[in-house]
Amino acid sequence: QQQVKQSPQSLIVQKGGISIINCAYENTAFDYFPWYQQFPGKGPALLIAIRPDVSEKKEGRFTISFNKSAKQFSLHIMDSQPGDSATYFCAASRGNTGKLIFGQGTTLQVKP
Amino acid sequence: GAGVSQSPSNKVTEKGKDVELRCDPISGHTALYWYRQSLGQGLEFLIYFQGNSAPDKSGLPSDRFSAERTGGSVSTLTIQRTQQEDSAVYLCASSLSGTSLSDTQYFGPGTRLTVL
């Protein structure tokens, strides 16, 4: 049973455009929602994270929007750059277990 | 400072053989995690260590999989009698405490296992 569903599977955006990746979760006990960025041959790296007590968090060009009632959260990449081309994973965890449940990933390609 | 390191970076083995994958976490990190990333799939949790004990082994797919951690540092993931479906990238992550809600997990580069 997949607890975190991510879409789209792949995304192509022009340089300067907005990239949007969506995730939905099932377990209402989840209380930490990070996004990870992964380049080929590398391990994932934390990009930005949010807790459910806020609806939005922004760090530079990256914004997480969180909708607790809909059990959905999304990553927005403003002014997308070719260097943003990577695979992005949303994730969720519960309490202090630390165990991350990941979405299936989105491969983003930003065209120059 | 050094990040999480894993060895080997690549491992090719024959079906039925045993393999050992090693993870060196960031110094001082008490929590350590193993995940598996299959081709085109997301990351799948395998096991979590707090110090040398493993309070959560719920993700280990079968009894062919085991892991240990010694000295609160290095961890080894062992797969016995490997099968072709074990082929994947095995990722290790560590975090400072593992008990804080927003404790960042830092990932290693992974070990790519191919079972022929």
Side-chain angles (χ1 to χ4, degrees), chain A residues 9 31-32 36 38 41-44 46 51 89 93 95-100 102-105, chain B residues 33 35 37 40-43 45 48 56 58 91 98-105 107-109:
Chain A
Q9 186 174 2
D31 49 14
Y32 177 64
Y36 279 81
Q38 184 179 32
K42 305 291 186 181
L46 179 66
R51 298 185 188 186
F89 293 96
S93 68
N96 62 355
T97 66
K99 175 172 70 177
L100 291 171
F102 284 88
Q104 297 296 87
Chain B
Y33 309 81
Y35 294 88
Q37 185 173 23
Q41 300 294 312
L43 286 80
F45 168 80
Y48 155 58
D56 191 344
S58 62
L91 290 158
T99 56
S100 170
L101 181 61
S102 56
D103 214 18
T104 300
Q105 292 187 26
F107 282 81

mmCIF file of all heavy atoms in Angstrom, chain A residues 9 31-32 36 38 41-44 46 51 89 93 95-100 102-105, chain B residues 33 35 37 40-43 45 48 56 58 91 98-105 107-109:
data_model
loop_
_atom_site.group_PDB
_atom_site.id
_atom_site.type_symbol
_atom_site.label_atom_id
_atom_site.label_comp_id
_atom_site.label_asym_id
_atom_site.label_seq_id
_atom_site.Cartn_x
_atom_site.Cartn_y
_atom_site.Cartn_z
ATOM 1 N N GLN A 9 5.128 11.834 -13.024
ATOM 2 C CA GLN A 9 6.306 10.978 -13.020
ATOM 3 C C GLN A 9 7.485 11.701 -13.669
ATOM 4 O O GLN A 9 8.625 11.523 -13.270
ATOM 5 C CB GLN A 9 6.007 9.685 -13.756
ATOM 6 C CG GLN A 9 7.115 8.650 -13.696
ATOM 7 C CD GLN A 9 6.698 7.339 -14.326
ATOM 8 O OE1 GLN A 9 5.579 7.204 -14.839
ATOM 9 N NE2 GLN A 9 7.584 6.356 -14.303
ATOM 10 N N ASP A 31 3.571 13.909 10.225
ATOM 11 C CA ASP A 31 3.701 15.273 10.720
ATOM 12 C C ASP A 31 5.000 15.950 10.304
ATOM 13 O O ASP A 31 5.405 16.955 10.900
ATOM 14 C CB ASP A 31 3.541 15.309 12.240
ATOM 15 C CG ASP A 31 4.412 14.275 12.942
ATOM 16 O OD1 ASP A 31 5.319 13.726 12.288
ATOM 17 O OD2 ASP A 31 4.169 14.027 14.129
ATOM 18 N N TYR A 32 5.647 15.414 9.305
ATOM 19 C CA TYR A 32 6.863 16.041 8.763
ATOM 20 C C TYR A 32 6.943 15.665 7.300
ATOM 21 O O TYR A 32 6.842 14.476 6.954
ATOM 22 C CB TYR A 32 8.087 15.554 9.538
ATOM 23 C CG TYR A 32 9.413 16.085 9.027
ATOM 24 C CD1 TYR A 32 9.703 17.443 9.069
ATOM 25 C CD2 TYR A 32 10.377 15.223 8.528
ATOM 26 C CE1 TYR A 32 10.922 17.930 8.611
ATOM 27 C CE2 TYR A 32 11.597 15.700 8.075
ATOM 28 C CZ TYR A 32 11.871 17.053 8.117
ATOM 29 O OH TYR A 32 13.068 17.525 7.666
ATOM 30 N N TYR A 36 13.221 15.931 -1.254
ATOM 31 C CA TYR A 36 14.613 15.619 -1.530
ATOM 32 C C TYR A 36 14.887 15.765 -3.025
ATOM 33 O O TYR A 36 14.023 15.508 -3.867
ATOM 34 C CB TYR A 36 14.947 14.186 -1.089
ATOM 35 C CG TYR A 36 15.231 14.055 0.392
ATOM 36 C CD1 TYR A 36 14.194 13.979 1.317
ATOM 37 C CD2 TYR A 36 16.537 14.016 0.857
ATOM 38 C CE1 TYR A 36 14.467 13.867 2.679
ATOM 39 C CE2 TYR A 36 16.816 13.898 2.215
ATOM 40 C CZ TYR A 36 15.775 13.828 3.113
ATOM 41 O OH TYR A 36 16.042 13.714 4.460
ATOM 42 N N GLN A 38 17.638 14.629 -6.050
ATOM 43 C CA GLN A 38 18.659 13.631 -6.338
ATOM 44 C C GLN A 38 19.192 13.798 -7.754
ATOM 45 O O GLN A 38 18.429 13.776 -8.721
ATOM 46 C CB GLN A 38 18.098 12.216 -6.152
ATOM 47 C CG GLN A 38 19.143 11.111 -6.341
ATOM 48 C CD GLN A 38 18.574 9.718 -6.128
ATOM 49 O OE1 GLN A 38 17.404 9.472 -6.407
ATOM 50 N NE2 GLN A 38 19.401 8.801 -5.642
ATOM 51 N N GLY A 41 23.607 9.338 -9.920
ATOM 52 C CA GLY A 41 24.802 8.816 -9.271
ATOM 53 C C GLY A 41 25.034 9.333 -7.863
ATOM 54 O O GLY A 41 26.036 8.972 -7.224
ATOM 55 N N LYS A 42 24.142 10.149 -7.376
ATOM 56 C CA LYS A 42 24.278 10.716 -6.034
ATOM 57 C C LYS A 42 23.123 10.262 -5.158
ATOM 58 O O LYS A 42 22.087 9.830 -5.638
ATOM 59 C CB LYS A 42 24.280 12.254 -6.107
ATOM 60 C CG LYS A 42 25.321 12.847 -7.030
ATOM 61 C CD LYS A 42 26.716 12.654 -6.494
ATOM 62 C CE LYS A 42 27.736 13.386 -7.351
ATOM 63 N NZ LYS A 42 29.125 13.186 -6.863
ATOM 64 N N GLY A 43 23.332 10.399 -3.835
ATOM 65 C CA GLY A 43 22.238 10.144 -2.920
ATOM 66 C C GLY A 43 21.329 11.358 -2.857
ATOM 67 O O GLY A 43 21.713 12.472 -3.215
ATOM 68 N N PRO A 44 20.088 11.169 -2.408
ATOM 69 C CA PRO A 44 19.168 12.299 -2.269
ATOM 70 C C PRO A 44 19.683 13.296 -1.234
ATOM 71 O O PRO A 44 20.356 12.920 -0.265
ATOM 72 C CB PRO A 44 17.871 11.644 -1.784
ATOM 73 C CG PRO A 44 18.016 10.196 -2.111
ATOM 74 C CD PRO A 44 19.476 9.900 -2.025
ATOM 75 N N LEU A 46 18.377 16.759 1.133
ATOM 76 C CA LEU A 46 17.217 17.528 1.581
ATOM 77 C C LEU A 46 17.195 18.888 0.903
ATOM 78 O O LEU A 46 18.184 19.622 0.885
ATOM 79 C CB LEU A 46 17.256 17.700 3.094
ATOM 80 C CG LEU A 46 16.108 18.512 3.685
ATOM 81 C CD1 LEU A 46 14.787 17.775 3.512
ATOM 82 C CD2 LEU A 46 16.358 18.814 5.160
ATOM 83 N N ARG A 51 6.195 21.384 8.218
ATOM 84 C CA ARG A 51 5.353 20.707 9.187
ATOM 85 C C ARG A 51 3.911 21.114 8.934
ATOM 86 O O ARG A 51 3.652 22.172 8.382
ATOM 87 C CB ARG A 51 5.768 21.085 10.607
ATOM 88 C CG ARG A 51 7.172 20.691 10.960
ATOM 89 C CD ARG A 51 7.470 20.979 12.404
ATOM 90 N NE ARG A 51 8.880 20.784 12.718
ATOM 91 C CZ ARG A 51 9.378 20.868 13.953
ATOM 92 N NH1 ARG A 51 8.578 21.146 14.963
ATOM 93 N NH2 ARG A 51 10.661 20.679 14.167
ATOM 94 N N PHE A 89 11.913 13.902 -4.888
ATOM 95 C CA PHE A 89 11.097 12.986 -4.102
ATOM 96 C C PHE A 89 10.422 13.741 -2.968
ATOM 97 O O PHE A 89 11.080 14.473 -2.219
ATOM 98 C CB PHE A 89 11.947 11.878 -3.474
ATOM 99 C CG PHE A 89 12.555 10.920 -4.465
ATOM 100 C CD1 PHE A 89 13.848 11.098 -4.920
ATOM 101 C CD2 PHE A 89 11.832 9.828 -4.910
ATOM 102 C CE1 PHE A 89 14.415 10.204 -5.820
ATOM 103 C CE2 PHE A 89 12.389 8.924 -5.816
ATOM 104 C CZ PHE A 89 13.672 9.127 -6.271
ATOM 105 N N SER A 93 6.954 11.552 7.281
ATOM 106 C CA SER A 93 7.300 10.715 8.428
ATOM 107 C C SER A 93 6.365 11.037 9.580
ATOM 108 O O SER A 93 5.669 12.055 9.578
ATOM 109 C CB SER A 93 8.762 10.908 8.847
ATOM 110 O OG SER A 93 8.967 12.195 9.382
ATOM 111 N N GLY A 95 5.858 11.242 13.810
ATOM 112 C CA GLY A 95 6.417 11.291 15.135
ATOM 113 C C GLY A 95 7.928 11.340 15.120
ATOM 114 O O GLY A 95 8.539 11.985 14.288
ATOM 115 N N ASN A 96 8.531 10.605 16.034
ATOM 116 C CA ASN A 96 9.980 10.651 16.132
ATOM 117 C C ASN A 96 10.628 9.365 15.636
ATOM 118 O O ASN A 96 11.734 9.020 16.038
ATOM 119 C CB ASN A 96 10.379 10.911 17.577
ATOM 120 C CG ASN A 96 9.909 9.788 18.492
ATOM 121 O OD1 ASN A 96 9.216 8.873 18.063
ATOM 122 N ND2 ASN A 96 10.286 9.853 19.741
ATOM 123 N N THR A 97 9.924 8.657 14.743
ATOM 124 C CA THR A 97 10.508 7.407 14.245
ATOM 125 C C THR A 97 11.641 7.674 13.275
ATOM 126 O O THR A 97 12.542 6.855 13.146
ATOM 127 C CB THR A 97 9.454 6.552 13.523
ATOM 128 O OG1 THR A 97 9.027 7.241 12.344
ATOM 129 C CG2 THR A 97 8.251 6.295 14.419
ATOM 130 N N GLY A 98 11.568 8.812 12.591
ATOM 131 C CA GLY A 98 12.595 9.125 11.603
ATOM 132 C C GLY A 98 12.427 8.418 10.284
ATOM 133 O O GLY A 98 13.010 8.823 9.282
ATOM 134 N N LYS A 99 11.639 7.360 10.252
ATOM 135 C CA LYS A 99 11.470 6.593 9.020
ATOM 136 C C LYS A 99 10.732 7.435 7.993
ATOM 137 O O LYS A 99 9.644 7.945 8.253
ATOM 138 C CB LYS A 99 10.688 5.321 9.313
ATOM 139 C CG LYS A 99 10.344 4.493 8.082
ATOM 140 C CD LYS A 99 9.756 3.165 8.469
ATOM 141 C CE LYS A 99 8.380 3.270 9.047
ATOM 142 N NZ LYS A 99 7.803 1.951 9.358
ATOM 143 N N LEU A 100 11.335 7.596 6.826
ATOM 144 C CA LEU A 100 10.723 8.374 5.752
ATOM 145 C C LEU A 100 9.992 7.453 4.784
ATOM 146 O O LEU A 100 10.542 6.440 4.346
ATOM 147 C CB LEU A 100 11.785 9.173 5.007
ATOM 148 C CG LEU A 100 12.431 10.330 5.771
ATOM 149 C CD1 LEU A 100 13.618 10.884 4.995
ATOM 150 C CD2 LEU A 100 11.418 11.432 6.059
ATOM 151 N N PHE A 102 8.631 7.557 1.101
ATOM 152 C CA PHE A 102 8.876 8.369 -0.077
ATOM 153 C C PHE A 102 7.816 8.178 -1.156
ATOM 154 O O PHE A 102 7.229 7.096 -1.290
ATOM 155 C CB PHE A 102 10.245 8.016 -0.693
ATOM 156 C CG PHE A 102 11.418 8.570 0.041
ATOM 157 C CD1 PHE A 102 11.995 7.871 1.095
ATOM 158 C CD2 PHE A 102 11.954 9.803 -0.310
ATOM 159 C CE1 PHE A 102 13.089 8.380 1.771
ATOM 160 C CE2 PHE A 102 13.047 10.319 0.361
ATOM 161 C CZ PHE A 102 13.613 9.615 1.407
ATOM 162 N N GLY A 103 7.601 9.254 -1.925
ATOM 163 C CA GLY A 103 6.830 9.138 -3.141
ATOM 164 C C GLY A 103 7.677 8.472 -4.219
ATOM 165 O O GLY A 103 8.858 8.169 -4.002
ATOM 166 N N GLN A 104 7.081 8.256 -5.379
ATOM 167 C CA GLN A 104 7.751 7.520 -6.460
ATOM 168 C C GLN A 104 8.800 8.335 -7.199
ATOM 169 O O GLN A 104 9.594 7.788 -7.954
ATOM 170 C CB GLN A 104 6.718 7.004 -7.452
ATOM 171 C CG GLN A 104 5.738 6.007 -6.845
ATOM 172 C CD GLN A 104 6.416 4.746 -6.382
ATOM 173 O OE1 GLN A 104 6.907 4.656 -5.257
ATOM 174 N NE2 GLN A 104 6.465 3.761 -7.237
ATOM 175 N N GLY A 105 8.807 9.644 -7.006
ATOM 176 C CA GLY A 105 9.797 10.479 -7.660
ATOM 177 C C GLY A 105 9.293 11.137 -8.932
ATOM 178 O O GLY A 105 8.431 10.595 -9.625
ATOM 179 N N TYR B 33 19.967 4.785 8.832
ATOM 180 C CA TYR B 33 18.858 4.181 8.076
ATOM 181 C C TYR B 33 19.388 3.515 6.812
ATOM 182 O O TYR B 33 20.333 4.009 6.198
ATOM 183 C CB TYR B 33 17.848 5.255 7.647
ATOM 184 C CG TYR B 33 17.360 6.156 8.746
ATOM 185 C CD1 TYR B 33 18.125 7.240 9.170
ATOM 186 C CD2 TYR B 33 16.136 5.938 9.355
ATOM 187 C CE1 TYR B 33 17.691 8.073 10.181
ATOM 188 C CE2 TYR B 33 15.682 6.777 10.368
ATOM 189 C CZ TYR B 33 16.471 7.840 10.778
ATOM 190 O OH TYR B 33 16.033 8.669 11.785
ATOM 191 N N TYR B 35 17.848 2.307 3.045
ATOM 192 C CA TYR B 35 16.750 2.359 2.093
ATOM 193 C C TYR B 35 17.175 1.614 0.828
ATOM 194 O O TYR B 35 18.363 1.437 0.562
ATOM 195 C CB TYR B 35 16.406 3.808 1.708
ATOM 196 C CG TYR B 35 15.865 4.659 2.812
ATOM 197 C CD1 TYR B 35 16.732 5.369 3.652
ATOM 198 C CD2 TYR B 35 14.493 4.785 3.027
ATOM 199 C CE1 TYR B 35 16.239 6.173 4.669
ATOM 200 C CE2 TYR B 35 13.992 5.592 4.049
ATOM 201 C CZ TYR B 35 14.874 6.274 4.858
ATOM 202 O OH TYR B 35 14.394 7.068 5.869
ATOM 203 N N GLN B 37 16.455 1.566 -3.424
ATOM 204 C CA GLN B 37 15.882 2.280 -4.558
ATOM 205 C C GLN B 37 15.966 1.390 -5.782
ATOM 206 O O GLN B 37 17.047 1.176 -6.337
ATOM 207 C CB GLN B 37 16.623 3.602 -4.800
ATOM 208 C CG GLN B 37 16.024 4.465 -5.885
ATOM 209 C CD GLN B 37 16.683 5.833 -5.957
ATOM 210 O OE1 GLN B 37 17.815 6.027 -5.530
ATOM 211 N NE2 GLN B 37 15.965 6.803 -6.504
ATOM 212 N N GLY B 40 13.490 3.138 -11.337
ATOM 213 C CA GLY B 40 12.224 3.814 -11.584
ATOM 214 C C GLY B 40 11.291 3.873 -10.395
ATOM 215 O O GLY B 40 10.153 4.304 -10.525
ATOM 216 N N GLN B 41 11.784 3.466 -9.242
ATOM 217 C CA GLN B 41 10.938 3.453 -8.049
ATOM 218 C C GLN B 41 11.428 4.474 -7.037
ATOM 219 O O GLN B 41 12.541 4.980 -7.113
ATOM 220 C CB GLN B 41 10.954 2.059 -7.421
ATOM 221 C CG GLN B 41 10.454 0.956 -8.328
ATOM 222 C CD GLN B 41 8.995 1.111 -8.649
ATOM 223 O OE1 GLN B 41 8.164 1.329 -7.777
ATOM 224 N NE2 GLN B 41 8.657 1.005 -9.921
ATOM 225 N N GLY B 42 10.599 4.741 -6.095
ATOM 226 C CA GLY B 42 10.991 5.603 -4.994
ATOM 227 C C GLY B 42 11.868 4.843 -4.030
ATOM 228 O O GLY B 42 12.229 3.692 -4.256
ATOM 229 N N LEU B 43 12.216 5.492 -2.966
ATOM 230 C CA LEU B 43 13.045 4.866 -1.952
ATOM 231 C C LEU B 43 12.170 4.105 -0.973
ATOM 232 O O LEU B 43 11.164 4.608 -0.484
ATOM 233 C CB LEU B 43 13.852 5.927 -1.193
ATOM 234 C CG LEU B 43 15.023 6.534 -1.939
ATOM 235 C CD1 LEU B 43 14.575 7.604 -2.904
ATOM 236 C CD2 LEU B 43 16.037 7.106 -0.953
ATOM 237 N N PHE B 45 12.039 2.116 2.626
ATOM 238 C CA PHE B 45 12.696 1.973 3.919
ATOM 239 C C PHE B 45 12.966 0.512 4.227
ATOM 240 O O PHE B 45 12.120 -0.356 3.987
ATOM 241 C CB PHE B 45 11.791 2.557 5.004
ATOM 242 C CG PHE B 45 12.213 2.224 6.413
ATOM 243 C CD1 PHE B 45 13.236 2.934 7.034
ATOM 244 C CD2 PHE B 45 11.606 1.186 7.108
ATOM 245 C CE1 PHE B 45 13.621 2.618 8.320
ATOM 246 C CE2 PHE B 45 11.984 0.871 8.400
ATOM 247 C CZ PHE B 45 12.996 1.591 9.014
ATOM 248 N N TYR B 48 16.092 0.822 10.579
ATOM 249 C CA TYR B 48 16.520 2.029 11.300
ATOM 250 C C TYR B 48 17.283 1.611 12.543
ATOM 251 O O TYR B 48 16.844 0.746 13.285
ATOM 252 C CB TYR B 48 15.277 2.848 11.660
ATOM 253 C CG TYR B 48 15.387 3.781 12.844
ATOM 254 C CD1 TYR B 48 16.345 4.791 12.877
ATOM 255 C CD2 TYR B 48 14.501 3.686 13.912
ATOM 256 C CE1 TYR B 48 16.418 5.673 13.952
ATOM 257 C CE2 TYR B 48 14.561 4.564 14.986
ATOM 258 C CZ TYR B 48 15.517 5.555 15.011
ATOM 259 O OH TYR B 48 15.591 6.419 16.061
ATOM 260 N N ASP B 56 13.357 -0.523 14.520
ATOM 261 C CA ASP B 56 12.421 -0.680 13.408
ATOM 262 C C ASP B 56 13.107 -1.442 12.280
ATOM 263 O O ASP B 56 13.963 -0.895 11.594
ATOM 264 C CB ASP B 56 11.925 0.688 12.934
ATOM 265 C CG ASP B 56 10.752 0.578 11.954
ATOM 266 O OD1 ASP B 56 10.520 -0.525 11.411
ATOM 267 O OD2 ASP B 56 10.084 1.603 11.712
ATOM 268 N N SER B 58 11.024 -3.114 10.130
ATOM 269 C CA SER B 58 9.803 -3.488 9.423
ATOM 270 C C SER B 58 9.944 -3.532 7.913
ATOM 271 O O SER B 58 9.142 -4.158 7.234
ATOM 272 C CB SER B 58 8.672 -2.522 9.797
ATOM 273 O OG SER B 58 8.998 -1.200 9.401
ATOM 274 N N LEU B 91 20.796 2.531 -0.336
ATOM 275 C CA LEU B 91 21.197 3.832 0.195
ATOM 276 C C LEU B 91 21.211 3.806 1.721
ATOM 277 O O LEU B 91 20.329 3.239 2.350
ATOM 278 C CB LEU B 91 20.236 4.913 -0.279
ATOM 279 C CG LEU B 91 20.308 5.259 -1.766
ATOM 280 C CD1 LEU B 91 19.026 5.900 -2.230
ATOM 281 C CD2 LEU B 91 21.487 6.180 -2.053
ATOM 282 N N GLY B 98 17.816 11.134 15.346
ATOM 283 C CA GLY B 98 16.754 10.223 14.944
ATOM 284 C C GLY B 98 15.506 10.355 15.791
ATOM 285 O O GLY B 98 14.514 9.684 15.558
ATOM 286 N N THR B 99 15.548 11.222 16.790
ATOM 287 C CA THR B 99 14.381 11.352 17.666
ATOM 288 C C THR B 99 13.744 12.735 17.568
ATOM 289 O O THR B 99 12.744 13.000 18.199
ATOM 290 C CB THR B 99 14.775 11.089 19.126
ATOM 291 O OG1 THR B 99 15.831 11.982 19.496
ATOM 292 C CG2 THR B 99 15.242 9.656 19.301
ATOM 293 N N SER B 100 14.347 13.599 16.773
ATOM 294 C CA SER B 100 13.764 14.922 16.572
ATOM 295 C C SER B 100 12.934 14.907 15.307
ATOM 296 O O SER B 100 13.354 14.370 14.287
ATOM 297 C CB SER B 100 14.869 15.978 16.450
ATOM 298 O OG SER B 100 14.331 17.217 16.038
ATOM 299 N N LEU B 101 11.786 15.520 15.360
ATOM 300 C CA LEU B 101 10.852 15.495 14.241
ATOM 301 C C LEU B 101 11.495 15.959 12.947
ATOM 302 O O LEU B 101 11.268 15.412 11.879
ATOM 303 C CB LEU B 101 9.644 16.370 14.573
ATOM 304 C CG LEU B 101 8.554 16.433 13.500
ATOM 305 C CD1 LEU B 101 8.004 15.037 13.264
ATOM 306 C CD2 LEU B 101 7.462 17.367 13.941
ATOM 307 N N SER B 102 12.298 16.982 13.019
ATOM 308 C CA SER B 102 12.862 17.557 11.804
ATOM 309 C C SER B 102 14.347 17.249 11.657
ATOM 310 O O SER B 102 15.073 18.000 11.029
ATOM 311 C CB SER B 102 12.636 19.060 11.781
ATOM 312 O OG SER B 102 13.187 19.652 12.946
ATOM 313 N N ASP B 103 14.780 16.135 12.234
ATOM 314 C CA ASP B 103 16.169 15.724 12.115
ATOM 315 C C ASP B 103 16.480 15.389 10.664
ATOM 316 O O ASP B 103 15.888 14.469 10.100
ATOM 317 C CB ASP B 103 16.363 14.492 13.003
ATOM 318 C CG ASP B 103 17.720 14.422 13.626
ATOM 319 O OD1 ASP B 103 18.407 15.458 13.660
ATOM 320 O OD2 ASP B 103 18.099 13.336 14.079
ATOM 321 N N THR B 104 17.416 16.115 10.053
ATOM 322 C CA THR B 104 17.727 15.892 8.651
ATOM 323 C C THR B 104 18.470 14.588 8.455
ATOM 324 O O THR B 104 19.433 14.304 9.167
ATOM 325 C CB THR B 104 18.569 17.045 8.093
ATOM 326 O OG1 THR B 104 17.830 18.259 8.213
ATOM 327 C CG2 THR B 104 18.928 16.816 6.634
ATOM 328 N N GLN B 105 18.032 13.809 7.470
ATOM 329 C CA GLN B 105 18.743 12.601 7.096
ATOM 330 C C GLN B 105 19.681 12.925 5.944
ATOM 331 O O GLN B 105 19.254 13.467 4.921
ATOM 332 C CB GLN B 105 17.761 11.501 6.697
ATOM 333 C CG GLN B 105 16.935 10.997 7.865
ATOM 334 C CD GLN B 105 16.075 9.807 7.524
ATOM 335 O OE1 GLN B 105 16.364 9.032 6.621
ATOM 336 N NE2 GLN B 105 14.990 9.648 8.269
ATOM 337 N N PHE B 107 22.156 11.442 3.123
ATOM 338 C CA PHE B 107 22.308 10.193 2.397
ATOM 339 C C PHE B 107 23.715 10.027 1.833
ATOM 340 O O PHE B 107 24.363 10.996 1.438
ATOM 341 C CB PHE B 107 21.316 10.130 1.233
ATOM 342 C CG PHE B 107 19.918 9.790 1.656
ATOM 343 C CD1 PHE B 107 19.074 10.754 2.171
ATOM 344 C CD2 PHE B 107 19.443 8.490 1.538
ATOM 345 C CE1 PHE B 107 17.778 10.442 2.573
ATOM 346 C CE2 PHE B 107 18.155 8.159 1.922
ATOM 347 C CZ PHE B 107 17.327 9.143 2.446
ATOM 348 N N GLY B 108 24.137 8.777 1.784
ATOM 349 C CA GLY B 108 25.349 8.425 1.067
ATOM 350 C C GLY B 108 25.055 8.269 -0.419
ATOM 351 O O GLY B 108 23.896 8.383 -0.841
ATOM 352 N N PRO B 109 26.090 7.973 -1.222
ATOM 353 C CA PRO B 109 25.902 7.864 -2.667
ATOM 354 C C PRO B 109 25.276 6.546 -3.104
ATOM 355 O O PRO B 109 24.867 6.403 -4.255
ATOM 356 C CB PRO B 109 27.326 7.995 -3.215
ATOM 357 C CG PRO B 109 28.174 7.484 -2.102
ATOM 358 C CD PRO B 109 27.491 7.888 -0.830
#
